[in-house]
Amino acid sequence: MLKNYSSAIEFYLLGFHGSKELHRILFATFFFLYSVTVMGNMLIIVIVCVDKRLQSPMYFFLGHLSVLEILITSVAVPLMLWGLLLPGMQAISLTACSAQLYLYLSLGTSELVLIGAMAVDRYVAVCNPLRYNIIMNSHTCIWVVIVSWVFGFLFQIWPVYATFQLTFCKSNVLDHFLCDRGQLLKLSCDDSLLTEFILFLMAVFIIVGSLIPTIISYTYIISTILRIPSASGRRKAFSTCASHFTFVVIGYGTCLFLYVKPKQTQAAEYNRVASLMVLVVTPFLNPFIFTLRNDKFIEAFRDVMKRCCQLLKD
């Protein structure tokens, strides 16, 4: 513990409470989920890159979404796994803590912007199919991805800077498995109410701001699909959006639960569960959501596997 009015130069992560047996179970579970997450998203990236049938805006955005998912989960999960193997608390320097928080928030912001762009892409595909290739051309797609990455990393500079300008004098122990902003604010002896309110407004801006085009896009998409006379036509149109819509519900639901609240310093268990959803569960589900019911991707996957088998035989 720190004495009053001294500033922390390193923190200790409590991680998960419980016995060594529970930690071993958690390690095995999270290691499995992390491994599948990395391999599944890597598989999506490789197949999107090598198969010409998947050279379209939807799969281009999906490839970048998979890159973001790998990076987001890799920011915290390997450190979390290491902490589950070691007894006691895990030390992390102030610099490493700020870097982890910055990468976590920046990558998450870029992902939300990209998800919003993917919703607009689905709107153009369903509601304006004849002009789809003109509107969503390669130039547009590249700029959308660049903007999403740059915006995410620029937008989170001030929130992280403001967080680490505070004086952490109450303790240097974080009741979490990563450098969580809510837990950091709990350790500050400064009056952080204004900072918390500004951070709340910024979270509302990015989450609700990227959610608005998604809601508008899907309102038009659903309206258009319902006007299609044949059941097979409606089913085909909806299948092009079902995966993205499922991901939107899970992703935005978790982010709203975790960040859009006036009081950032919530209970540790609340933040821990919500963080696991963002860092472990959602990236794990991504490959299954976007591929299991996608006939074009499954066909491309089979062809890539056949080619790999032929190369091995030769």
Side-chain angles (χ1 to χ4, degrees):
M1 302 289 286
L2 294 172
K3 294 180 180 179
N4 285 343
Y5 303 104
S6 62
S7 186
I9 57 172
E10 69 176 1
F11 296 100
Y12 290 91
L13 303 176
L14 278 180
F16 294 89
H17 305 289
S19 63
K20 289 184 179 179
E21 289 73 19
L22 177 61
H23 281 194
R24 291 193 190 102
I25 294 170
L26 290 175
F27 175 84
T29 302
F30 293 144
F31 180 77
F32 169 75
L33 294 176
Y34 178 67
S35 301
V36 173
T37 297
V38 173
M39 290 188 292
N41 283 288
M42 280 296 296
L43 186 63
I44 289 176
I45 296 166
V46 170
I47 293 176
V48 167
C49 289
V50 302
D51 197 286
K52 292 182 179 180
R53 287 167 296 184
L54 304 183
Q55 302 303 306
S56 68
M58 182 178 79
Y59 294 103
F60 177 73
F61 293 143
L62 177 58
H64 281 273
L65 180 64
S66 293
V67 171
L68 284 167
E69 293 285 39
I70 292 172
L71 293 176
I72 287 172
T73 193
S74 297
V75 164
V77 173
L79 186 65
M80 177 184 73
L81 292 173
W82 184 245
L84 287 170
L85 288 177
L86 296 175
M89 296 182 289
Q90 188 174 13
I92 183 170
S93 68
L94 187 68
T95 303
C97 185
S98 59
Q100 185 188 59
L101 181 63
Y102 176 67
L103 289 172
Y104 171 52
L105 295 175
S106 299
L107 292 166
T109 302
S110 297
E111 182 173 298
L112 288 175
V113 175
L114 188 60
I115 292 171
M118 291 173 74
V120 175
D121 170 70
R122 292 299 83 208
Y123 158 74
V124 178
V126 174
C127 302
N128 207 344
L130 297 178
R131 299 189 61 203
Y132 179 72
N133 291 328
I134 298 172
I135 298 171
M136 300 303 297
N137 55 57
S138 58
H139 182 76
T140 302
C141 293
I142 290 170
W143 269 107
V144 166
V145 168
I146 291 173
V147 168
S148 67
W149 280 86
V150 172
F151 178 80
F153 278 81
L154 290 179
F155 187 82
Q156 293 297 342
I157 291 175
W158 185 87
V160 175
Y161 173 79
T163 301
F164 284 91
Q165 284 298 104
L166 299 170
T167 303
F168 304 107
C169 62
K170 293 180 180 178
S171 171
N172 61 348
V173 177
L174 292 171
D175 191 5
H176 212 292
F177 59 82
L178 79 158
C179 285
D180 176 69
R181 186 165 62 195
Q183 295 302 307
L184 285 167
L185 291 172
K186 273 187 176 181
L187 304 185
S188 172
C189 55
D190 300 330
D191 184 4
S192 61
L193 286 177
L194 179 60
T195 302
E196 285 189 56
F197 182 67
I198 295 173
L199 294 175
F200 165 71
L201 291 180
M202 294 183 75
V204 170
F205 173 77
I206 186 59
I207 296 175
V208 177
S210 59
L211 186 58
I212 287 172
T214 303
I215 292 172
I216 293 172
S217 296
Y218 274 103
T219 300
Y220 281 103
I221 287 169
I222 293 169
S223 176
T224 301
I225 289 174
L226 292 176
R227 290 200 300 268
I228 297 174
S230 66
S232 60
R234 289 194 297 269
R235 193 159 46 248
K236 184 179 179 181
F238 183 74
S239 67
T240 65
C241 310
S243 298
H244 179 260
F245 183 75
T246 304
F247 190 82
V248 164
V249 172
I250 296 172
Y252 278 103
T254 304
C255 288
L256 288 168
F257 180 74
L258 183 57
Y259 293 114
V260 182
K261 53 185 188 294
K263 190 69 174 173
Q264 294 287 314
T265 53
Q266 294 287 341
E269 289 303 321
Y270 177 101
N271 285 337
R272 199 161 13 232
V273 171
S275 297
L276 284 173
M277 286 293 296
V278 173
L279 290 164
V280 179
V281 178
T282 304
F284 170 76
L285 292 176
N286 177 48
F288 301 102
I289 291 172
F290 283 100
T291 61
L292 284 181
R293 298 188 65 183
N294 190 318
D295 294 335
K296 186 182 286 189
F297 187 92
I298 291 172
E299 188 178 338
F301 172 72
R302 286 173 180 166
D303 290 347
V304 169
M305 289 298 102
K306 285 179 183 177
R307 272 183 269 171
C308 290
C309 290
Q310 287 174 352
L311 287 173
L312 289 172
K313 287 179 182 179
D314 296 339

